[in-house]
Amino acid sequence: MADLNIPEAPVIPGATPLHSGMVRDLSVLVSGDLLMVASDRISIFDFVLDSTIPDKGEILTRMSLWWFDQLSGVVANHVLSADVPDVVRGRAVVCRKLDMYPVECVARGYLTGTGLLDYRATGEVCGVALPSGLEDGSRLDAAIFTPATKAALGDHDENVSYSAVVAEVGAPVAERLRDLTLEVYARAESIARERGIILADTKLEFGADHDGAMVLGDEVLTPDSSRFWPADQWQPGRTQPSYDKQIVRNWALSPDSGWDKASGAAPPPLPLEVVERTRARYVEAYELLTGERF
């Protein structure tokens, strides 16, 4: 496991720190509800970088809130309020506690990433057989549910079959997770396409509330959890330009960074130009999707 380099969670009046992740910090409020704060941290290749992306936490929070609203007719979500302490205002939400299902729920409408690697090796993704001749960026005839395990912090999630999800949570819950994931993807893909953006895939997390109802939690449909591509630049057979931290990954792997991925050391701090380009990409995605100025 990599040295994650995650800083201590910020001290927030009236909140007790509970957990710090690669991007988000979770605290418990006096009320018993949770305070989820999105930081400006950015991670690549299982390293949290010393550099941050200004306003990233606020962009992720505002985008999730916008998507939760768009999806209100599809599935309930965990957000109770955006009225949060001033020190984290704009980048935090108050949310209800959920008993989270131990499954990363992924929907893919296009073939890329780890799905492409699986396909090239087996002709399948998570046990779902796909037609021959597909390329990087190919659109699938229908979106597929390709779940993954929830790995420990710093470890990689691993793609698993639907039958593995059934074994983990039982058939009724597995079926509901699959159906809701595909419903959310279908709704979001349609909305994004209307705005000139392709939603290639997305990762969702669900939990059960105190009544046992399935609820959408964590973040939703942000550039950190989804692949968004400019529709007018889509060209199967190559790596697609995207609205996410690919700029950072590309720089880290380039000779300019001087970083050796195999060394086990963290990548060096980002040049200002890379920080600014990454921030601009996140802002562009937010504004195109929501129609709002950031």
Side-chain angles (χ1 to χ4, degrees), residues 60-274:
L60 296 181
T61 299
R62 287 171 60 170
M63 189 176 289
S64 283
L65 287 170
W66 185 84
W67 276 115
F68 281 135
D69 185 56
Q70 305 305 307
L71 298 168
S72 60
V74 177
V75 61
N77 65 74
H78 69 156
V79 176
L80 294 172
S81 172
D83 184 11
V84 299
D86 287 342
V87 69
V88 292
R89 190 167 302 281
R91 56 190 179 94
V93 294
V94 178
C95 51
R96 49 182 158 162
K97 289 183 177 179
L98 300 175
D99 184 10
M100 302 302 293
Y101 297 108
V103 180
E104 299 283 359
C105 295
V106 180
R108 300 177 189 270
Y110 292 75
L111 187 63
T112 193
T114 60
L116 177 65
L117 296 178
D118 290 351
Y119 170 78
R120 285 174 171 170
T122 67
E124 302 178 344
V125 182
C126 295
V128 179
L130 296 176
S132 61
L134 299 182
E135 304 175 291
D136 190 354
S138 288
R139 185 176 186 178
L140 304 180
D141 291 337
I144 57 175
F145 178 61
T146 59
T149 59
K150 278 190 178 182
L153 189 61
D155 288 341
H156 293 289
D157 296 338
E158 292 188 7
N159 292 347
V160 297
S161 66
Y162 178 71
S163 60
V165 178
V166 172
E168 182 72 32
V169 299
V173 171
E175 182 177 359
R176 183 65 173 148
L177 287 172
R178 179 192 61 196
D179 291 351
L180 268 182
T181 298
L182 293 175
E183 285 181 45
V184 167
Y185 176 82
R187 171 71 173 145
E189 192 276 338
S190 174
I191 291 172
R193 183 170 291 278
E194 291 172 356
R195 290 156 172 78
I197 292 178
I198 289 173
L199 173 60
D201 55 43
T202 192
K203 179 183 71 176
L204 308 173
E205 296 195 34
F206 295 93
D209 66 11
H210 64 277
D211 293 324
M214 192 170 288
V215 175
L216 183 59
D218 198 50
E219 64 177 327
V220 63
L221 294 157
T222 72
D224 275 15
S225 65
S226 312
R227 283 188 177 89
F228 293 112
W229 299 336
D232 61 357
Q233 298 178 49
W234 173 57
Q235 184 180 321
R238 63 166 191 174
T239 300
Q240 311 300 316
S242 59
Y243 295 104
D244 59 18
K245 55 190 176 185
Q246 192 60 44
I247 293 169
V248 178
R249 295 190 194 97
N250 290 347
W251 174 82
L253 294 173
S254 74
D256 292 340
S257 74
W259 178 60
D260 178 6
K261 186 180 179 184
S263 69
L270 302 175
L272 179 59
E273 182 265 343
V274 174

